[in-house]
Amino acid sequence: MQYLLLIYDKEADWNKLSEADQATMYKEYGEFTQSIMQSGHHKAGHQLQPISTATTVRVRDKKRVVTDGPFAETKEQLGGFYMIEAKDLDDAIAVAARIPSARYGSIEVRPIVVHNQVSS
Amino acid sequence: MDQGQEDLDRIFREESGRILATLIRLLGSFDLAEEAMQEAFTVALERWPVQGMPANPRAWLISTAHHKAVDLLRRSARLDSNRDELLKIAELEQQLADADENMRRHGLTSDDRGNNDRGRNARDSDDPFGDDRLRLIFTCCHPALAREAQVALTLRTLCGLTTDEIARGFLVPLPTMAQRLVRAKQKIRDAHIPYQVPPEHDLDERLDSVLLVVYLVFNEGYSATSGDTAIRHELCAEAIRLGRILCMLLPRQTEARALLALMLLHDSRRNARVGQNGEPILLEEQNRDLWNQDQIREGLTLVESALKDAAAGPYALQAAIAAIHTRAQRAEETDWRQIVALYELLLRLQPSPVVELNLAAAVAMAEGPATGLSLLDRLEVNADLRDYYLLPAARADLLRRLARWPEAAASYRRALALAGNDAARNFLVRRLAEMESKA
């Protein structure tokens, strides 16, 4: 069973951190990523560039509409993600709770849809 | 109603939760388990009146439902079969063969005619399927489900209430309740909420959620003063039954025991707390001869044992407060000082404006209304309580005790503007009229 762990936090708070504090955070993330690689949970994971770099694309009436930024203003922004393999939701929740940002922001745990492959 | 139907109704009431819990474990699906159990009861209704009840009705029903589930899957598989479904059927068929073998070893067969002595002895001590209700309740009360979904799912699966009964109990339209149950079951399936008792290190946290659900079910039945009386009574009875199951399956959890005590002690006053026209009767004005002494005895024993075995948690403190009320032969004999001390402990464990309000009311009883009023003054600046009708109602009551009639009337009017349910409003209207006649 695969889950996407979406990491939401306040970008402004991250920017306010001192360099030393940011370095500590990166170190924690590095250790966390290592640990979930060793436990076999890790499938993928990335930090995202800040929301100011985001672009939104829509197609309406076959025309492409490209705009700056995300559609809605929210308190917390999507700052990164992990894709994990977990036994069940409790296992995924236990991994999510260990993500360093869980202490400041929030982690959304979303199961991945598995489309049945019809065998011929 | 004939005997067969009566037996079956009784067994459904007492056993459906436990049967369903085992079927969900065996079949890995809430919906399939519910459908299969329904079919098994239908078969029982046809056969038992003719062939007699089997020696172990529960094991018979589980086994029959298990067979029915495989049939259901085989039938649907023919229409659109894919590999995963076929594998699932094969797995279930193997499981079924193992279960049948297990049944035989316990001296039971799915065709059991009820004349099997070995089967009769096997009834409880040597259960071939075990008790899966703890898994079921922890899954239904999983924190990933919304609180109202936890409550609904627990009543539907463990207590066997119909969707309609739950909807009426919670004053929610039937389609809303049906939708709530469907969504909860979908989430359990699609997010893979595990069907298991949480490991020791998560147990306390997860148990809190289970106890809260049981308490909410009880409160809904106990406090709501509108709606269907029979259903509300049923909710209290089911909450107490769930409380008993938790105490039996988790004997070391003192808060589970304390919650059962709390519910029993409250429920013991059922017949005394409502007047002939459905109006609520305050604790101090209740006819204490109407209190149920059996429930009081059991509740007192439970709360004493909970307090002896561990530091008092929030349910133990609330049960201890309820116990002090039941020990007073007359309202004037209530030991208010001890109640104040217990509310102070509760406030430390569970700070909330509502507990503070109760504390203020207890202080007023112990030390006089004037002291209580000064505590209420401090509470009134709290924004959380701005729309809470019990705050002006409590103030009005203290002013009434001080014979400050016009001020009391003003507070009753404020409470009346905020009160939601009819019974509470009727009570306030009555008090207001008293104040106005004296002013």
Side-chain angles (χ1 to χ4, degrees):
Chain A
M1 187 76 186
Q2 293 194 350
Y3 296 85
L4 190 62
L5 310 182
L6 298 150
I7 302 165
Y8 287 90
D9 53 15
K10 289 190 192 130
E11 255 176 30
D13 287 358
W14 169 254
N15 293 331
K16 270 185 255 163
L17 289 181
S18 69
E19 254 179 58
D21 287 343
Q22 288 197 359
T24 312
M25 197 70 170
Y26 276 123
K27 187 164 164 283
E28 276 188 52
Y29 261 101
E31 285 162 4
F32 167 73
T33 306
Q34 273 301 316
S35 81
I36 63 168
M37 279 173 164
Q38 272 160 18
S39 62
H41 287 103
H42 185 273
K43 287 278 162 197
H46 287 285
Q47 182 185 7
L48 301 177
Q49 292 284 358
I51 207 107
S52 57
T53 65
T55 305
T56 299
V57 180
R58 290 183 196 82
V59 176
R60 297 289 182 275
D61 300 327
K62 294 179 189 163
K63 253 191 257 159
R64 210 165 71 181
V65 184
V66 177
T67 50
D68 174 36
F71 188 63
E73 279 295 320
T74 46
K75 267 196 209 150
E76 295 186 325
Q77 295 81 28
L78 181 63
F81 69 89
Y82 284 98
M83 169 92 120
I84 62 163
E85 175 73 40
K87 186 160 71 64
D88 51 39
L89 184 64
D90 282 355
D91 192 22
I93 289 172
V95 172
R98 286 166 45 219
I99 295 178
S101 297
R103 301 201 304 271
Y104 315 99
S106 53
I107 315 296
E108 184 175 327
V109 180
R110 294 283 291 268
I112 300 287
V113 174
V114 183
H115 290 285
N116 272 333
Q117 291 202 326
V118 181
S119 57
S120 45
Chain B
M1 202 189 311
D2 60 51
Q3 187 58 41
Q5 177 73 51
E6 254 174 59
D7 283 344
L8 208 62
D9 283 349
R10 182 179 51 76
I11 287 168
F12 186 84
R13 243 188 349 267
E14 289 170 5
E15 303 279 6
S16 71
R18 187 162 168 184
I19 293 170
L20 189 65
T22 295
L23 287 172
I24 294 169
R25 171 172 61 79
L26 293 170
L27 303 171
S29 153
F30 275 66
D31 286 328
L32 182 60
E34 278 182 306
E35 202 179 339
M37 181 169 82
Q38 209 54 56
E39 292 217 3
F41 272 100
T42 308
V43 176
L45 188 58
E46 287 162 11
R47 276 203 212 158
W48 292 3
V50 186
Q51 302 180 345
M53 219 205 306
N56 184 335
R58 182 171 64 231
W60 186 95
L61 284 161
I62 290 171
S63 173
T64 305
H66 200 173
H67 282 269
K68 285 285 169 194
V70 175
D71 288 347
L72 283 166
L73 283 176
R74 276 202 204 109
R75 240 178 290 154
S76 67
R78 241 176 257 134
L79 299 172
D80 60 334
S81 42
N82 69 37
R83 208 169 133 265
D84 285 351
E85 281 168 7
L86 294 174
L87 278 174
K88 175 81 193 160
I89 295 172
E91 190 191 317
L92 278 177
E93 281 174 340
Q94 181 55 50
Q95 231 180 45
L96 197 53
D98 295 346
D100 282 346
E101 176 54 33
N102 195 12
M103 290 271 283
R104 264 189 294 281
R105 259 187 280 125
H106 281 83
L108 301 162
T109 69
S110 34
D111 291 325
D112 202 315
R113 299 285 158 83
N115 47 11
N116 183 328
D117 281 342
R118 276 202 301 149
R120 211 172 282 283
N121 293 336
R123 187 165 293 206
D124 260 343
S125 56
D126 199 15
D127 195 293
F129 292 103
D131 194 334
D132 293 293
R133 281 176 297 184
L134 213 45
R135 285 173 205 263
L136 182 55
I137 193 164
F138 274 108
T139 304
C140 291
C141 300
H142 196 283
L145 299 171
R147 184 74 66 202
E148 49 193 20
Q150 297 174 358
V151 170
L153 205 54
T154 301
L155 287 169
R156 179 78 193 91
T157 59
L158 274 142
C159 305
L161 261 59
T162 63
T163 308
D164 182 50
E165 286 169 328
I166 305 168
R168 279 188 285 137
F170 285 82
L171 304 174
V172 167
L174 177 60
T176 310
M177 187 53 78
Q179 182 73 276
R180 195 177 286 175
L181 284 164
V182 167
R183 289 222 180 102
K185 284 188 274 186
Q186 269 169 359
K187 180 157 188 188
I188 289 173
R189 187 190 64 211
D190 295 342
H192 275 221
I193 291 179
Y195 194 58
Q196 67 186 20
V197 178
E200 195 72 34
H201 58 88
D202 283 339
L203 196 63
D204 282 353
E205 185 194 321
R206 295 283 307 274
L207 186 63
D208 283 350
S209 165
V210 171
L211 296 181
L212 185 58
V213 164
V214 174
Y215 192 42
L216 287 176
V217 170
F218 181 82
N219 260 340
E220 188 62 30
Y222 194 72
S223 345
T225 26
S226 52
D228 187 325
T229 324
I231 292 289
R232 280 188 282 115
H233 200 117
E234 177 89 336
L235 290 179
C236 288
E238 289 302 341
I240 289 173
R241 204 165 69 87
L242 286 169
R244 286 189 198 287
I245 294 171
L246 285 173
C247 287
M248 181 187 83
L249 298 175
L250 294 167
R252 284 176 24 230
Q253 297 293 334
T254 50
E255 275 290 90
R257 218 180 302 155
L259 173 58
L260 178 58
L262 176 62
M263 294 190 294
L264 287 166
L265 292 173
H266 277 301
D267 203 52
S268 71
R269 301 181 208 141
R270 167 178 300 283
N271 293 329
R273 61 195 283 273
V274 184
Q276 279 176 335
N277 303 315
E279 74 281 10
I281 300 177
L282 293 183
L283 189 54
E284 58 177 301
E285 289 162 7
Q286 288 175 10
N287 174 0
R288 299 187 176 216
D289 293 339
L290 295 176
W291 289 0
N292 182 326
Q293 292 303 322
D294 289 339
Q295 285 181 310
I296 289 177
R297 257 190 304 278
E298 190 187 355
L300 289 177
T301 311
L302 284 164
V303 68
E304 276 157 19
S305 98
L307 288 168
K308 186 164 61 62
D309 288 358
Y315 291 114
L317 290 171
Q318 291 175 76
I321 292 166
I324 290 173
H325 285 299
T326 58
R327 283 205 188 96
Q329 303 273 317
R330 294 179 304 138
E332 307 84 80
E333 291 167 16
T334 310
D335 185 348
W336 285 104
R337 279 181 199 287
Q338 217 185 328
I339 292 178
V340 167
L342 289 165
Y343 271 124
E344 279 168 349
L345 286 173
L346 185 59
L347 194 59
R348 229 173 293 158
L349 282 187
Q350 240 180 16
S352 93
V354 176
V355 177
E356 263 182 86
L357 179 57
N358 283 320
L359 173 60
V363 168
M365 294 306 287
E367 294 173 28
T371 321
L373 271 180
S374 67
L375 287 175
L376 290 185
D377 286 341
R378 271 193 276 152
L379 264 175
E380 261 159 26
V381 297
N382 190 320
D384 289 347
L385 287 179
R386 195 164 292 150
D387 296 327
Y388 191 52
Y389 85 93
L390 286 175
L391 183 54
R395 169 174 292 278
D397 188 53
L398 298 186
L399 292 165
R400 179 182 66 89
R401 288 173 200 269
L402 289 167
R404 287 156 63 174
W405 314 119
E407 290 167 86
S411 284
Y412 278 122
R413 267 184 227 111
R414 223 169 326 129
L416 202 49
L418 296 172
N421 83 47
D422 287 346
R425 296 178 58 83
N426 291 341
F427 170 78
L428 294 168
V429 166
R430 205 158 35 113
R431 279 279 205 251
L432 180 57
E434 274 173 47
M435 296 307 103
E436 283 168 340
S437 71
K438 283 176 174 156

